Amino acid sequence: MKLNKLTYFSTVLLLSSSLISCEDFLDKEPPSYAVPEDYYLAEDQLQAVANKFYSDGLLPSHGNWSYGTFGTDNNTDNQAGFTADNKYTTGQWKVSLENGNWAWTNIRNINYSLNTILNNYEAGKISGSDTNIRQYIGEIYFFRAYCYFDMLQKWGDLPIIKEALPDNNEILVAANQRSPRNEVARFIIEDLDNAIAYMTDNFDAKKNRLSSDVAQLLKSRVALFEASWLRYFNNTPFVPNGEGWPGKAKDYNANYQFPSGSIESEIEYFYTIAAESAEEVAGKYKGRLTQNTGLVPQSESDPENPYFSMFGNTDMSGFPDVLLWREYSEGLGITNNIEIAVEKGNYGVGLTRSMVQGFVMADGKPIYASHNGFTFNDESLANVRKNADPRLFIFLKEPYQINMFKNMDSQKDHGVEIEPYPSILTSDGENGYSTGYSIRKGGTFDKAQTGNGAGYTGSITFRATEALLNYMEAQYELTKNLSSGHILEYWKAIRTAAGFKGIAIDPQTTIAATDISQEKLDWGSYSAGEQLTDPVLYNIRRERRCELMAEGLRWMDLIRWRALDQMIDEPYFVEGFHLWNTEMQNWYDANALIADGSSAATVSSPSLSEYYRPYQKNMTSGNLFKDGYTWHMAHYLQPLPIKQFQLTSSDNASPELSPLYQNPYWPTTADMPAEK
């Protein structure tokens, strides 16, 4: 097999002049002169095309001067930064005039490359190994699916564009017709099926390239997303044919019928695909999940904890359940700052009280349940970690822990050897602690990784455990039977790998001890504004939340569950650690704890809560979040920019004359907030 060494998303100069974004419509076909006539005719050229899509940042990976992918769950109930997101207040998120995120460049570029390659391949014009050629074709199919899925989460209904469009106004305008979201999901799944058919298992032993397992995993993610969206938004404007669905006003969607006959059948269709594709991956890896020993190494003599090391290793190829990862290189200047983030304040990323208390205890029971020999106590970080879920125990930092003990002769100088008290009194991006709860996920204890902007730990893009979680949820949503299929088998496999022992491995221990009314801090306990009544379903969501903490999937889960409605009527207050009336209060100079609600305040007032509230320090009128988070239904989707309506309208002015339609509860006037 011919493989050029690839540092996951290697930099390849490819058609740079031809892939220039066009602002109008859905982007136009690249000019013919920009591509050599003999391109797309050799295996190495196809590899260069595929490599370019890796290097373009289509897939999530660590950026520099940040906590990388571990910070992506900021602005959810899991994690909070120094500043809140405007989507949680009224009147600040507005319809834009310009294109904003309505960007089709990646889709256009992929279509152009894919269509050209397929035409040449079918004509037998491409030289080289057929196995390799097919692998690269499969990868490009995957990239189109991934880009479309990203857009589906943002926009819902979308134009389905399979070709690089010609520079023809009539064709471009017509192409803006939005297909119902479930049809978009079906198209994505079709692309992933093609990717699976073309790609080869174990093509890249290092797992820096896509594989059929990755495509199957994404297929399960897409299907689960769409199934749950259709279920929880049923009978609303957010689903095709729901009451007030804006697509109904357009002739091309006016008589739309679900391919399966009804929305209920469509929901079942997607849940079934989610379960089946997840099982394809889960069945391979259920007995090969990386094991958490429950140990946080504190010296060179301590044994390694494989589960801990998996997230911060420089070479992740040896972990069976890591399906795709990005490799970094100090020598090539492809670096990140993950270790510095871990040894300081995570670059303004902190766990919330909700996230910390969402974990069960080591006995498998929620924090409020009756425990044998101990009670939950959060009056110090040491106490929070004591008797905790083994995953929380290893990933929640505690003062006086040793942050680095490897390569101590290194000259790198941005590390912090001993973990300090969390610095909540500063909003300094590098050193401040946003909630008091800081994260060790991705850490290495390696001083050589603490050069300023010069770390080179890998970045996990997909891991197999998600497949087990996807299966559990999809199968349970289909059957409402905990004993159905492999639900219990997979759940116990996850718990075992997580480090639980004895009865705590059995999720029924957790389910029996769950009181959902005490889980109100967890947004995942809600759908459509009401708390769940099914403790099994809730705990499937809980397990997913805890296992995937800080891995960038929380927002996707929250919106597909419709888990934010409750904040329309009842504000939500983001809280961090238990500051007031605990020993942790004494960590700080009393004179520095200014809690008067002024613009100069450094902490939130104990009269509001004993828990630190990062967005309620300043209680003056200038703080948009002083009264907590609020929500608007429109905010489940992004608004289409007005420029697109103007460009596609027959008079270049009137939105109603465009084939496009605005998303629910967003106006068709620029610089206006949501209507509901």
Side-chain angles (χ1 to χ4, degrees):
M1 182 185 307
K2 180 175 180 278
L3 276 177
N4 294 341
K5 180 170 177 65
L6 178 72
T7 304
Y8 176 47
F9 306 154
S10 62
T11 302
V12 178
L13 182 63
L14 170 67
L15 312 178
S16 58
S17 60
S18 71
L19 301 185
I20 297 173
S21 173
C22 177
E23 292 184 355
D24 293 353
F25 309 106
L26 300 171
D27 295 318
K28 301 174 182 177
E29 181 180 4
S32 59
Y33 65 81
V35 183
E37 291 184 1
D38 61 349
Y39 212 79
Y40 301 112
L41 296 177
E43 171 196 330
D44 61 342
Q45 294 171 342
L46 269 60
Q47 185 185 31
V49 173
N51 288 359
K52 183 62 167 66
F53 294 127
Y54 283 102
S55 66
D56 275 350
L58 274 61
L59 300 178
S61 62
H62 298 325
N64 222 329
W65 318 113
S66 73
Y67 194 26
T69 60
F70 301 119
T72 314
D73 286 335
N74 252 14
N75 301 309
T76 68
D77 56 337
N78 285 13
Q79 296 173 188
F82 293 126
T83 57
D85 194 302
N86 280 341
K87 64 176 171 277
Y88 297 120
T89 190
T90 298
Q92 296 303 302
W93 190 2
K94 299 179 180 180
V95 179
S96 66
L97 174 63
E98 299 298 328
N99 286 342
N101 290 330
W102 186 258
W104 289 79
T105 304
N106 288 331
I107 298 296
R108 189 277 315 270
N109 294 345
I110 292 169
N111 282 343
Y112 181 82
S113 297
L114 183 60
N115 294 332
T116 306
I117 291 169
L118 287 172
N119 288 336
N120 289 345
Y121 181 64
E122 291 166 3
K125 295 181 178 180
I126 303 177
S127 64
S129 162
D130 189 65
T131 297
N132 293 357
I133 292 168
R134 291 182 62 84
Q135 171 70 23
Y136 305 137
I137 292 173
E139 290 179 11
I140 299 171
Y141 267 120
F142 180 96
F143 284 123
R144 185 166 70 179
Y146 193 91
C147 288
Y148 253 103
F149 182 47
D150 178 66
M151 297 177 72
L152 177 67
Q153 294 171 74
K154 294 175 180 175
W155 310 105
D157 302 353
L158 288 168
I160 296 177
I161 310 296
K162 302 179 183 180
E163 308 288 336
L165 300 174
D167 190 4
N168 179 292
N169 192 75
E170 184 177 350
I171 294 174
L172 289 167
V173 170
N176 279 268
Q177 294 183 1
R178 299 177 72 183
S179 294
R181 57 173 301 121
N182 57 300
E183 298 286 354
V184 180
R186 284 172 172 266
F187 167 62
I188 295 169
I189 289 169
E190 180 185 346
D191 265 4
L192 290 169
D193 283 337
N194 283 323
I196 293 164
Y198 274 98
M199 286 194 289
T200 303
D201 283 338
N202 302 314
F203 181 80
D204 176 17
K206 202 166 186 179
K207 297 185 289 189
N208 288 157
R209 299 198 80 96
L210 292 160
S211 66
S212 55
D213 283 347
V214 174
Q216 286 281 15
L217 176 54
L218 182 60
K219 182 179 174 181
S220 75
R221 185 189 294 182
V222 172
L224 182 61
F225 180 88
E226 190 58 23
S228 47
W229 185 286
L230 295 176
R231 170 159 287 175
Y232 293 108
F233 286 94
N234 195 5
N235 297 318
T236 76
F238 292 86
V239 298
N241 294 336
E243 185 177 353
W245 176 51
K248 201 75 171 179
K250 297 298 180 180
D251 290 343
Y252 61 85
N253 276 333
N255 300 309
Y256 178 72
Q257 298 295 321
F258 289 100
S260 56
S262 67
I263 190 169
E264 290 76 19
S265 297
E266 200 78 349
I267 292 168
E268 182 177 0
Y269 167 80
F270 282 113
Y271 274 130
T272 300
I273 289 178
E276 291 175 349
S277 54
E279 187 179 0
E280 285 288 328
V281 180
K284 291 183 182 180
Y285 296 94
K286 62 184 181 181
R288 303 167 62 196
L289 303 180
T290 301
Q291 181 65 45
N292 180 13
T293 65
L295 174 69
V296 182
Q298 291 289 271
S299 73
E300 287 276 18
S301 62
D302 287 341
E304 182 182 17
N305 181 344
Y307 186 86
F308 182 94
S309 298
M310 175 172 59
F311 295 97
N313 219 284
T314 57
D315 183 355
M316 297 169 168
S317 61
F319 298 94
D321 40 343
V322 175
L323 303 183
L324 181 69
W325 64 286
R326 176 179 182 178
E327 187 174 8
Y328 289 78
S329 169
E330 184 179 29
L332 295 176
I334 305 171
T335 57
N336 59 62
N337 261 26
I338 300 303
E339 182 61 25
I340 293 175
V342 169
E343 295 189 14
K344 296 187 177 182
N346 304 134
Y347 280 99
V349 176
L351 296 179
T352 62
R353 175 191 178 191
S354 170
M355 179 74 259
V356 169
Q357 296 187 2
F359 282 92
V360 297
M361 305 299 289
D363 61 3
K365 300 177 182 179
I367 62 170
Y368 49 76
S370 175
H371 307 279
N372 186 18
F374 67 91
T375 57
F376 174 74
N377 182 310
D378 63 1
E379 294 184 358
S380 74
L381 294 178
N383 284 338
V384 173
R385 295 179 67 236
K386 190 178 299 181
N387 299 309
D389 181 319
R391 293 167 294 196
L392 181 64
F393 180 82
I394 65 170
F395 289 136
L396 180 65
K397 293 202 293 179
E398 176 186 337
Y400 301 115
Q401 283 182 319
I402 297 173
N403 285 332
M404 55 185 179
F405 52 79
K406 300 178 182 178
N407 295 313
M408 295 303 290
D409 58 347
S410 171
Q411 297 305 301
K412 307 296 175 61
D413 61 359
H414 269 59
V416 178
E417 186 173 353
I418 306 296
E419 178 66 18
Y421 298 133
S423 181
I424 60 170
L425 305 182
T426 177
S427 296
D428 175 82
E430 185 172 338
N431 298 297
Y433 287 60
S434 59
T435 68
Y437 286 132
S438 52
I439 317 170
R440 198 171 287 283
K441 208 166 192 176
T444 69
F445 305 103
D446 188 354
K447 189 178 180 183
Q449 295 283 343
T450 63
N452 193 22
Y456 45 96
T457 56
S459 172
I460 298 175
T461 313
F462 291 94
R463 64 185 183 101
T465 307
E466 185 196 343
L468 281 71
L469 292 162
N470 290 353
Y471 176 89
M472 289 158 47
E473 183 178 344
Q475 186 69 12
Y476 188 78
E477 287 278 25
L478 282 168
T479 66
K480 299 300 181 183
N481 182 358
L482 178 61
S483 300
S484 173
H486 305 287
I487 296 175
L488 278 171
E489 177 191 3
Y490 291 173
W491 205 335
K492 290 177 181 179
I494 293 170
R495 285 278 179 97
T496 299
F500 286 97
K501 307 293 183 183
I503 63 169
I505 293 173
D506 189 345
Q508 295 176 97
T509 301
T510 308
I511 294 164
T514 294
D515 178 357
I516 297 179
S517 68
Q518 298 198 55
E519 303 285 357
K520 291 183 178 182
L521 293 178
D522 181 352
W523 293 352
S525 73
Y526 292 86
S527 282
E530 302 292 332
Q531 276 201 294
L532 302 178
T533 57
D534 184 342
V536 177
L537 181 59
Y538 169 66
N539 278 293
I540 287 173
R541 292 184 181 184
R542 183 211 301 270
E543 193 71 44
R544 181 179 183 89
R545 182 191 196 192
C546 296
E547 175 63 28
L548 300 177
M549 180 190 76
E551 294 184 43
L553 297 179
R554 185 60 172 176
W555 179 248
M556 177 193 73
D557 288 341
L558 292 171
I559 60 173
R560 68 184 179 87
W561 293 331
R562 191 181 166 185
L564 303 158
D565 288 32
Q566 67 279 2
M567 292 188 291
I568 295 173
D569 298 317
E570 185 174 348
Y572 182 92
F573 299 98
V574 175
E575 294 184 330
F577 71 163
H578 195 167
L579 172 64
W580 295 107
N581 299 316
T582 71
E583 67 179 74
M584 293 189 287
Q585 179 181 341
N586 299 324
W587 291 349
Y588 308 97
D589 183 336
N591 294 323
L593 294 173
I594 304 171
D596 60 3
S598 70
S599 59
T602 57
V603 290
S604 56
S605 170
S607 66
L608 298 173
S609 173
E610 289 195 349
Y611 292 86
Y612 176 54
R613 292 185 172 183
Y615 307 137
Q616 288 189 291
K617 294 183 290 185
N618 177 0
M619 295 297 288
T620 67
S621 59
N623 180 6
L624 298 174
F625 303 95
K626 65 182 181 65
D627 297 320
Y629 277 6
T630 57
W631 186 249
H632 294 267
M633 285 297 295
H635 292 184
Y636 279 111
L637 292 174
Q638 297 188 15
L640 271 68
I642 303 305
K643 183 177 181 179
Q644 290 303 309
F645 292 100
Q646 297 171 340
L647 288 168
T648 55
S649 297
S650 55
D651 63 355
N652 295 122
S654 306
E656 65 272 16
L657 299 179
S658 168
L660 293 168
Y661 47 88
Q662 185 60 283
N663 277 332
Y665 309 124
W666 285 109
T668 52
T669 303
D671 203 37
M672 294 296 292
E675 297 168 345
K676 179 177 177 180

